[in-house]
Amino acid sequence: EAGVAQSPRYKIIEKRQSVAFWCNPISGHATLYWYQQILGQGPKLLIQFQNNGVVDDSQLPKDRFSAERLKGVDSTLKIQPAKLEDSAVYLCASSLDRREGTDTQYFGPGTRLTVL
Amino acid sequence: AQSVTQLDSQVPVFEEAPVELRCNYSSSVSVYLFWYVQYPNQGLQLLLKYLSGSTLVESINGFEAEFNKSQTSFHLRKPSVHISDTAEYFCAVSPLTGANNLFFGTGTRLTVIP
């Protein structure tokens, strides 16, 4: 079974530029998550999708971050414009069904973003 | 609200020695408890989880963790570590009700010294 795929693995941009990350979850997983992991901290949830609908985006800085999962499968996270403090690893995870609190989340390898 | 505290940011230990990675949590509701591991250049992987029942849970590679409700702790232990256990370990909680959200601690970097 293929795992969660993410691209690119690394990205370096200058502040005020735009960037987009892509995630393809495990086949059949209804729930998709985007986390931000700043160096020295644990991952923090940015947004959660159930199929193509947003369940929780309370921690997403909506003035510059946006995310979509149009067909309920793969997802894109965008930052526009980027700030220095956005330097982090962006993790995508998926699970079968968010309504089960016992449901295991499977993580992708992450995209390491450096903003100069 | 939920929060997770991992007091030790780095734990060096000699090969074949025992290790304990500490995790304490705070929550206004009941939670599930998890340990995730992140090997160098890899994504997070679930190591073990406590959902209900026996308070002692084990992983397939010799780690175990015990849920202590009175102390709100979920410490991770292994009686004898291997070089291959070198990794970052994250403790996390998820509320029993509502969305399946994980709240992570800041992580503990375990370095096994040959």
Side-chain angles (χ1 to χ4, degrees):
Chain A
E1 179 183 84
V4 177
Q6 290 187 248
S7 67
R9 292 294 309 276
Y10 304 91
K11 189 73 176 179
I12 301 174
I13 61 172
E14 294 188 351
K15 59 182 179 183
R16 291 188 290 274
Q17 286 187 322
S18 302
V19 65
F21 313 127
W22 175 82
C23 172
N24 191 30
I26 293 173
S27 177
H29 280 194
T31 311
L32 186 147
Y33 314 77
W34 282 102
Y35 289 85
Q36 180 192 57
Q37 185 178 11
I38 294 173
L39 186 65
Q41 299 181 22
K44 182 186 78 173
L45 181 71
L46 291 175
I47 189 168
Q48 180 185 118
F49 291 95
Q50 177 75 5
N51 296 310
N52 60 352
V54 175
V55 173
D56 183 358
D57 63 356
S58 57
Q59 299 296 309
L60 189 73
K62 298 180 185 66
D63 57 333
R64 298 183 300 107
F65 286 64
S66 64
E68 59 184 15
R69 193 184 184 200
L70 292 176
K71 296 182 180 179
V73 180
D74 57 348
S75 175
T76 302
L77 177 70
K78 297 179 181 178
I79 308 175
Q80 180 179 4
K83 292 185 175 181
L84 296 177
E85 58 261 36
D86 297 332
S87 293
V89 176
Y90 291 85
L91 299 167
C92 180
S94 70
S95 65
L96 274 171
D97 189 336
R98 75 160 185 93
R99 289 167 293 185
E100 291 292 326
T102 61
D103 207 17
T104 297
Q105 294 186 28
Y106 296 87
F107 286 80
T111 296
R112 183 177 297 276
L113 173 66
T114 301
V115 182
L116 303 175
Chain B
Q2 291 77 34
S3 68
V4 178
T5 302
Q6 293 181 250
L7 289 173
D8 305 306
S9 60
Q10 296 189 56
V11 174
V13 63
F14 286 103
E15 192 175 13
E16 297 183 5
V19 69
E20 178 180 82
L21 307 183
R22 295 180 292 170
C23 172
N24 289 87
Y25 69 93
S26 173
S27 176
S28 55
V29 300
S30 296
V31 296
Y32 299 119
L33 296 140
F34 305 81
W35 276 98
Y36 276 80
V37 59
Q38 189 171 33
Y39 297 105
N41 298 314
Q42 295 186 29
L44 285 161
Q45 303 172 31
L46 180 66
L47 186 61
L48 49 74
K49 60 185 177 182
Y50 172 76
L51 305 177
S52 64
S54 173
T55 57
L56 184 66
V57 291
E58 299 177 351
S59 72
I60 58 173
N61 57 353
F63 282 93
E64 65 179 29
E66 186 159 20
F67 169 51
N68 188 317
K69 188 174 183 179
S70 63
Q71 298 185 6
T72 60
S73 68
F74 192 53
H75 301 329
L76 183 69
R77 301 183 182 94
K78 188 171 186 179
S80 176
V81 295
H82 302 287
I83 295 291
S84 59
D85 293 324
T86 294
E88 186 105 23
Y89 291 80
F90 291 92
C91 182
V93 302
S94 177
L96 263 65
T97 57
N100 185 23
N101 290 345
L102 285 170
F103 296 86
F104 286 88
T106 52
T108 298
R109 179 169 300 278
L110 172 65
T111 302
V112 180
I113 305 164

